[in-house]
Amino acid sequence: MALAVQLLPFMVSAGIATWTPPSNGFLRLKCPLETHGVCGQDSVIQCTVRSSHQDLRVMGLVWRKLGSPVSLFSYVGGRVKQVDRFELVRQGWDEHNTNVSLLVRATRVADRGLYQCVVLTDHGDTKLITRLRVTAKYKELKVTSVPESDIQEDSRVLMVCTAHGGYPQGTMRWFDQYGTDWTRSAEMQVTKTKDGCFNLTSKFSVWRASSISPRYSCVLLNGDGTEEDNVEIHLRFAIPEKVSRRLSNRSIIAVIVVLGSLTSGFLVLTLFQKSECRGPVRVYPWVEDIGDVREVEGLGSPEEVNAES
């Protein structure tokens, strides 16, 4: 009964403990001043109770977010209460456990802010306020042009750079292939989503586009002003008619040269094969007719050959 009376102020205030028994040692709560969480991932606010007392007992604990009337996690009077997605890192309550770190499941942008941890022990109470900082990386950074292709020289081209689902709000910058910054000539649009993140759209127009300098870059900067990502676009210009005809004529000439070379090679190969098939030809200038040739070759006279056949 006496203990319940002592815990009553702690239970009512959900974060302001007033019971402090005499103590000759030190008692404090050690937490980082700021914790970085990533949207969609689990975050942990590390906190431990430091004390010079042996066998310290933690009899009460409350985690709450400043500005919210509901405690995220509490252990008061032997009962544990917690809100969905918020729990202690160490499961199962143990009065001798001094690790009171808070686990935030599937961190959201709305979870950012100040958190207060209050601990009541058998040697006094301690509390501390810490900050949870939440960031979300932008996704699907891409850049397109209007028109997409067959761009005419000295015509107007609109380039659009987009990114989605980032936090905090970032910005975009434009550069040409020579490193010139054209951001001041661009128009920036920011849209906030239901989950608190931001979608970014930047539009940049080139009034007299030239095929001499067709490359442009869109650079994405996060909320801290540091580069998070970049993407390059190469404008696709139409081929001039004169150049197109010249290329066409050159293609036709090239095809004719190749076909001619192949035909010549084929004829040479054919003649070479025929000469191989005939074999060597012997010439006897002193022989006047075929009969004499046969005799010279050892085939006999015409009469002998006819008689054999």
Side-chain angles (χ1 to χ4, degrees), residues 252-269:
I252 294 173
I253 294 173
V255 171
I256 293 174
V257 171
V258 172
L259 290 177
S261 300
L262 292 175
T263 304
S264 301
F266 179 74
L267 292 174
V268 172
L269 179 61

Side-chain angles (χ1 to χ4, degrees), residues 285-296:
W286 59 87
V287 180
E288 297 180 355
D289 55 28
I290 189 62
D292 296 331
V293 173
R294 286 178 173 272
E295 290 180 356
V296 174

Side-chain angles (χ1 to χ4, degrees), residues 270-280:
T270 301
L271 293 174
F272 179 78
Q273 290 178 344
K274 287 183 178 181
S275 64
E276 288 287 333
C277 293
R278 285 199 306 267

Side-chain angles (χ1 to χ4, degrees), residues 7-25:
L7 287 175
L8 183 59
F10 181 84
M11 298 170 62
V12 173
S13 63
I16 304 177
T18 57
W19 177 62
T20 308
S23 174
N24 295 322

Side-chain angles (χ1 to χ4, degrees), residues 29-104:
L29 191 60
K30 184 178 180 181
C31 309
L33 294 179
E34 184 176 274
T35 299
H36 177 216
V38 178
C39 190
Q41 301 179 11
D42 294 347
S43 303
V44 177
I45 303 177
Q46 298 282 357
C47 283
T48 56
V49 180
R50 300 294 179 88
S51 175
S52 61
H53 301 285
Q54 298 294 328
D55 298 326
L56 182 74
R57 293 176 56 202
V58 178
M59 298 181 296
L61 170 65
V62 171
W63 271 102
R64 70 188 187 94
K65 184 179 180 183
L66 296 186
S68 174
V70 181
S71 298
L72 303 175
F73 179 92
S74 65
Y75 173 78
V76 179
R79 298 181 59 185
V80 174
K81 293 182 179 180
Q82 64 185 59
V83 177
D84 185 34
R85 297 192 303 111
F86 297 89
E87 58 189 65
L88 292 186
V89 171
R90 184 168 179 176
Q91 299 296 318
W93 182 259
D94 182 358
E95 291 185 348
H96 297 285
N97 176 35
T98 57
N99 183 0
V100 294
S101 302
L102 181 68
L103 173 64
V104 183

Side-chain angles (χ1 to χ4, degrees), residues 68-190:
S68 174
V70 181
S71 298
L72 303 175
F73 179 92
S74 65
Y75 173 78
V76 179
R79 298 181 59 185
V80 174
K81 293 182 179 180
Q82 64 185 59
V83 177
D84 185 34
R85 297 192 303 111
F86 297 89
E87 58 189 65
L88 292 186
V89 171
R90 184 168 179 176
Q91 299 296 318
W93 182 259
D94 182 358
E95 291 185 348
H96 297 285
N97 176 35
T98 57
N99 183 0
V100 294
S101 302
L102 181 68
L103 173 64
V104 183
R105 298 282 188 186
T107 308
R108 302 172 183 173
V109 172
D111 295 332
R112 71 190 188 284
L114 297 176
Y115 288 75
Q116 184 183 55
C117 180
V118 182
V119 179
L120 178 65
T121 74
D122 56 350
H123 288 281
D125 62 273
T126 180
K127 59 184 177 180
L128 189 143
I129 294 176
T130 182
R131 179 185 298 276
L132 176 62
R133 180 172 173 262
V134 180
T135 61
K137 189 174 181 179
Y138 285 90
K139 303 178 290 295
E140 301 176 1
L141 177 65
K142 64 179 181 179
V143 58
T144 58
S145 69
V146 181
E148 293 184 358
S149 60
D150 294 331
I151 300 172
Q152 301 297 321
E153 291 286 342
D154 294 331
S155 64
R156 178 178 179 269
V157 178
L158 172 64
M159 288 176 283
V160 181
C161 188
T162 57
H164 303 278
Y167 186 88
Q169 179 180 330
T171 187
M172 292 174 169
R173 300 179 67 183
W174 289 93
F175 297 90
D176 61 19
Q177 64 188 53
Y178 307 107
T180 305
D181 191 341
W182 293 94
T183 306
R184 290 186 177 181
S185 301
E187 178 185 353
M188 184 80 175
Q189 296 177 350
V190 180

